[in-house]
Amino acid sequence: MNIQRDTYSSYKHRNTWKALIGIAPNGVVTFVSSLFPGSTSDKMVTLKSGLLEKLVAGDLIVAIKGFLIRDILPQGVSLNIPPFLDTPQFTPD
């Protein structure tokens, strides 16, 4: 019952799981984590997945909006979150 409770998403109205997947620019899958209950935060999934131990200075992570992990990244690892369109048109910047 506890697992069912932890995996239930009131937003999606079903049970969900999360995984962290790394993909290189050429499309090669470089990392696949274990599954975590859907209620687990992205930061906790990142901490418990083992990914941080594999990163080295100079690595770049490209993530989606809301993936707030900058404060737990190893020194020298960068996080890039592309801009999201909040208005009908992007600005020149």
Side-chain angles (χ1 to χ4, degrees), residues 42-44 46-47 52 68-75:
D42 294 337
K43 186 178 283 189
M44 192 56 62
T46 305
L47 284 167
L52 297 178
L68 307 175
I69 62 164
R70 190 176 313 272
D71 61 326
I72 62 170
L73 292 177
Q75 187 171 349

Side-chain angles (χ1 to χ4, degrees), residues 7-77:
T7 61
Y8 185 76
S9 168
S10 57
Y11 173 72
K12 295 184 178 182
H13 306 290
R14 63 179 172 265
N15 293 80
T16 61
W17 294 90
K18 286 184 179 181
L20 188 59
I21 300 173
I23 303 173
N26 62 0
V28 173
V29 175
T30 59
F31 181 83
V32 179
S33 74
S34 298
L35 292 176
F36 295 87
S39 62
T40 309
S41 71
D42 294 337
K43 186 178 283 189
M44 192 56 62
V45 169
T46 305
L47 284 167
K48 291 184 173 186
S49 69
L51 174 67
L52 297 178
E53 290 76 24
K54 298 183 181 305
L55 298 173
V56 296
D59 283 347
L60 170 67
I61 295 175
V62 179
I64 62 171
K65 177 180 167 183
F67 203 75
L68 307 175
I69 62 164
R70 190 176 313 272
D71 61 326
I72 62 170
L73 292 177
Q75 187 171 349
V77 175

